[in-house]
Amino acid sequence: AMYPQDAILSEEAADDRSRLDNDICWVIDPIDGTKEFIRQSKDFCVMIGICYKGEPVFGVINIPKTGEVFYGGEEFGLSLKRHGEVINLPNVPLQDEKVLCSRSQRGQIILPYMTENGLTPLPCGSSGVKACRLIDGTASTYIHGTSVREWDTAAADALVRACLLYT
């Protein structure tokens, strides 16, 4: 209601392709990692990305079970709010050469590839949580083996761009 001229793309609604004609589009995934949410694991999140002229410029990823909210963009910096404390990122050194992979989609391609290349897998649920684990230094790489949609990547894209810019 506050921004009636803005377009919205959400996993939970039909895509209105006229959104591509708007300068601003909110890209929302209200529950990224549905299987994890159902199991009530910590690996699900809420993602909101704001795109300007088709490019992600600001992202918010809220991980309710860990009390973390990652937010920012190239023009805004990058921050983590954890249990009420705000931390400017990136400031967490890489702890290990672990590789994030999907808990539910490792299949016949990703795990053999990782084994052949001596990589240490770190299974994780939602793609948004994986992006946050790259940003906070928990892992160094994320391998994904299936297709993704804009709501899976917009918020994470803005945050990772900010992370790379401010590193």
Side-chain angles (χ1 to χ4, degrees), residues 54-146:
E55 294 292 322
V57 295
F58 193 84
V60 177
I61 299 179
N62 178 3
I63 309 171
K65 289 285 189 171
T66 64
E68 297 170 300
V69 180
F70 291 77
Y71 58 96
E74 287 181 281
E75 300 293 322
F76 306 95
L78 180 61
S79 298
L80 164 61
K81 184 175 182 181
R82 181 184 287 144
H83 303 298
E85 179 187 355
V86 176
I87 303 163
N88 291 323
L89 296 174
N91 69 347
V92 180
L94 183 62
Q95 298 169 8
D96 201 350
E97 291 295 322
K98 292 183 179 165
V99 179
L100 293 160
C101 62
S102 177
R103 184 173 282 123
S104 62
Q105 300 169 353
R106 290 179 281 174
Q108 298 175 14
I109 297 172
I110 293 175
L111 281 181
Y113 173 82
M114 293 178 75
T115 302
E116 287 173 21
N117 291 284
L119 302 172
T120 304
L122 180 60
C124 187
S126 99
S127 61
V129 173
K130 289 181 192 94
C132 293
R133 297 305 162 235
L134 290 174
I135 292 166
D136 74 10
T138 300
S140 60
T141 308
Y142 167 25
I143 297 177
H144 189 79
T146 61

Side-chain angles (χ1 to χ4, degrees), residues 2-37:
M2 291 177 64
Y3 305 101
Q5 71 282 4
D6 294 356
I8 297 174
L9 172 63
S10 174
E11 182 176 18
E12 307 306 319
D15 186 4
D16 180 353
R17 303 286 293 171
S18 69
R19 70 182 165 82
L20 300 172
D21 298 327
N22 285 54
D23 282 349
I24 298 175
C25 182
W26 296 69
V27 183
I28 302 167
D29 191 346
I31 301 176
D32 183 53
T34 306
K35 292 175 188 171
E36 303 299 324
F37 174 77

